[in-house]
Amino acid sequence: MNEVNYITPWANKRSNDPLHSLCSYLGSFPPSLASYFIRFFTDEGDLVYDPFSGRGTTILEARILNRKSVASDLNPIALALSHAKSVQADTEAILQLIDELEENYDYPLFLPEAKAQPDEIHLIFHPRTLAELCYLKLMLKEPKSKEEKILVGTILGIMHGGERKDGSSGYLSISMPNTFSMSPEYVRRFVQTNQLNREYRNTFQLLREKIKRTFEKHTFPRSQSSIYRSDAKTLSSTPEFKKLKGKVDLILTSPPYLGIVNYARQNWIRSWFLDANPELISEELDDDLNLFEWIKFSKDTVSQFKKLLKPNGVGVFVIGDVAKSKDSVIPLAREFAVMVKENKLFKNVWIFSDYIQGFDKTTRIWGETKGKATATDRIVILSDINPFKENHRLNGESDLTYDLIKESTKHFMGDRI
């Protein structure tokens, strides 16, 4: 089957906003993709919703583009990162908060707390750094102000990562190969094999540096986002989303799929800072399903999303292929599209293939160990209308034309739609 080979309008484009890189997050799609579809399908003031918010890419781009935005997730880390990107705050006020926290910090008072932490945490942080983190865990346990929410997201972003060539680091941990959490046993072996020493990293100073790097070129958008802890399978029964029935213009998201990323276990270090149990979180999340379970999950969630969309609303879903074996790939988007059509959830289903380049997908950091992740994402577009024919929002920018979308869908789906 020959697929449509087309350079997407968002390919090779980078977001100019450094707030997107506040914290790494596995499986996220590029901000340029979110920006493109928000501009393609909505106008200023329209409402954009992401039900699997992750690190908040969709809501931040929606805010930058002066759209209203709402996001939800069940993962505490995703919620913390989304909150950090949902608010408008003054950079000097954030730096002042760091100064106040440092001024009130008492090392001898928190050293016993640091010593009481699990062995796997002691492997990663110098005792003095760990004591500072224990203090900040307590002080920021329930962030209420805009500055506190941003600070929590920033701490999660500097928790662990690699040293620079000169031995300095923008991270608090030992020099780790990745900015996602390797298993505790892997970390133990990695430390022994590489004979790593825990260097003291001043948490307050690294926070200042990260805030200055992030916000020196960031202009806080006027609009703010609403972030909720909600299960996508039961949205319409929750008070927050009952109010949104029939009001959403665009749903733009990437659902979890087939065990590529266990977002809880592969963020266990960040979970520690949030006092969240990775095993309990993992039981709540739908990120380790087999194909049958995933199709049912998709049906349940899309049925909920349909209730929130306006009659002329659009859903855009980024769904990657999954490698079943070395020579076999499951095109999840095809299963998703067939499910939508068979259950008559939307009148129209289109699929566009995005062949991810090496820098576009967070799973690139796995290299040869990326497992089931593939280099192809499918953009599935759902609507009860045809939102392409009268689309002139991009003012001459290279568009995904209706003919191209139809051709891509035909090549990928054959006669199954």
Side-chain angles (χ1 to χ4, degrees):
M1 179 178 63
N2 295 321
E3 297 225 39
V4 176
N5 191 4
Y6 174 74
I7 302 299
T8 63
W10 57 88
N12 304 325
K13 290 186 179 180
R14 304 269 187 172
S15 171
N16 293 324
D17 199 304
L19 187 52
H20 277 298
S21 59
L22 185 69
C23 180
S24 63
Y25 198 82
L26 288 169
S28 56
F29 49 73
S32 56
L33 183 154
S35 173
Y36 182 85
F37 283 108
I38 291 169
R39 289 181 294 123
F40 195 101
F41 287 124
T42 68
D43 297 308
E44 288 195 12
D46 283 355
L47 178 59
V48 178
Y49 171 47
D50 186 347
F52 306 106
S53 185
R55 68 173 179 172
T57 300
T58 295
I59 58 167
L60 180 53
E61 281 300 311
R63 293 181 63 215
I64 291 169
L65 295 168
N66 199 28
R67 272 66 167 174
K68 300 172 187 175
S69 53
V70 179
S72 60
D73 210 300
L74 280 174
N75 189 340
I77 295 164
L79 291 170
L81 297 179
S82 296
H83 275 297
K85 296 179 182 179
S86 71
V87 294
Q88 182 179 9
D90 179 72
T91 306
E92 290 305 316
I94 305 171
L95 293 173
Q96 183 179 345
L97 174 59
I98 297 172
D99 291 343
E100 291 172 357
L101 287 166
E102 184 175 29
E103 185 177 343
N104 293 318
Y105 171 61
D106 187 342
Y107 171 60
L109 186 63
F110 283 88
L111 182 59
E113 180 68 16
K115 289 181 178 179
Q117 299 308 306
D119 289 344
E120 55 265 28
I121 292 296
H122 280 280
L123 280 171
I124 298 166
F125 302 107
H126 186 280
R128 287 175 62 191
T129 303
L130 185 54
E132 292 167 358
L133 284 171
C134 288
Y135 164 69
L136 291 171
K137 275 183 67 175
L138 177 65
M139 299 304 294
L140 299 171
K141 188 171 184 178
E142 295 181 0
K144 293 182 174 60
S145 72
K146 296 174 289 188
E147 292 78 17
E148 288 174 340
K149 290 176 181 179
I150 290 172
L151 208 53
V152 169
T154 307
I155 292 170
L156 296 180
I158 65 171
M159 287 288 286
H160 47 81
E163 290 181 350
R164 303 182 182 102
K165 290 182 179 179
D166 64 1
S168 65
S169 180
Y171 299 100
L172 298 170
S173 67
I174 57 170
S175 185
M176 296 182 69
N178 293 304
T179 51
F180 65 93
S181 306
M182 314 301 288
S183 71
E185 188 54 39
Y186 180 95
V187 173
R188 195 181 308 278
R189 292 196 306 270
F190 183 78
V191 170
Q192 293 171 348
T193 301
N194 293 277
Q195 298 181 329
L196 296 178
N197 293 317
R198 294 169 297 165
E199 300 287 341
Y200 169 58
R201 313 288 185 192
N202 186 309
T203 310
F204 305 101
Q205 185 56 36
L206 289 187
L207 278 174
R208 288 189 191 93
E209 293 173 7
K210 178 72 172 181
I211 290 294
K212 290 175 182 177
R213 285 197 307 273
T214 301
F215 294 109
E216 66 179 353
K217 294 183 180 179
H218 171 76
T219 302
F220 284 101
R222 297 188 304 275
S223 62
Q224 300 192 99
S225 301
S226 299
I227 312 296
Y228 302 109
R229 185 185 185 280
S230 296
D231 188 338
K233 300 188 296 295
T234 57
L235 286 175
S236 61
S237 63
T238 60
E240 298 86 359
F241 289 96
K242 281 182 179 179
K243 301 174 185 177
L244 294 181
K245 284 186 178 180
K247 295 182 179 180
V248 175
D249 295 281
L250 172 67
I251 290 175
L252 174 58
T253 194
S254 181
Y257 39 94
L258 294 195
I260 286 183
V261 180
N262 186 302
Y263 290 96
R265 295 191 186 99
Q266 290 173 334
N267 276 295
W268 64 270
I269 301 172
R270 292 175 180 137
S271 293
W272 167 82
F273 182 78
L274 296 177
D275 269 336
N277 185 321
E279 297 303 322
L280 295 179
I281 298 169
S282 185
E283 289 177 8
E284 282 194 293
L285 301 182
D286 294 283
D287 58 7
D288 195 21
L289 306 177
N290 62 37
L291 182 57
F292 174 80
E293 292 168 334
W294 187 85
I295 292 171
K296 184 181 184 305
F297 166 79
S298 298
K299 178 183 176 183
D300 292 342
T301 54
V302 173
S303 299
Q304 294 291 309
F305 304 156
K306 179 68 180 286
K307 296 175 182 178
L308 301 182
L309 281 172
K310 290 180 177 178
N312 63 343
V314 181
V316 176
F317 299 81
V318 183
I319 302 175
D321 289 354
V322 173
K324 186 177 180 180
S325 65
K326 184 177 180 181
D327 302 313
S328 177
V329 171
I330 301 174
L332 275 187
R334 181 178 298 158
E335 303 297 334
F336 182 86
V338 170
M339 178 278 298
V340 171
K341 291 298 287 186
E342 287 182 346
N343 290 280
K344 297 181 172 59
L345 296 176
F346 284 88
K347 292 179 181 178
N348 300 308
V349 180
W350 298 277
I351 301 178
F352 187 81
S353 298
D354 184 8
Y355 298 97
I356 307 281
Q357 301 301 313
F359 56 82
D360 275 339
K361 205 169 187 178
T362 314
T363 46
R364 72 189 185 281
I365 60 180
W366 286 330
E368 293 304 314
T369 64
K370 66 183 184 299
K372 298 180 185 178
T374 73
T376 302
D377 271 353
R378 315 284 180 180
I379 316 299
V380 183
I381 302 168
L382 309 178
S383 186
D384 283 335
I385 66 164
N386 184 341
F388 297 98
K389 288 188 174 180
E390 300 299 326
N391 198 311
H392 304 293
R393 290 185 176 96
L394 300 188
N395 297 321
E397 181 179 329
S398 177
D399 285 0
L400 295 182
T401 65
Y402 184 50
D403 287 342
L404 183 66
I405 289 287
K406 287 194 299 181
E407 183 183 0
S408 175
T409 304
K410 180 180 178 182
H411 275 285
F412 183 58
M413 295 299 299
D415 60 358
R416 299 190 71 182
I417 285 188

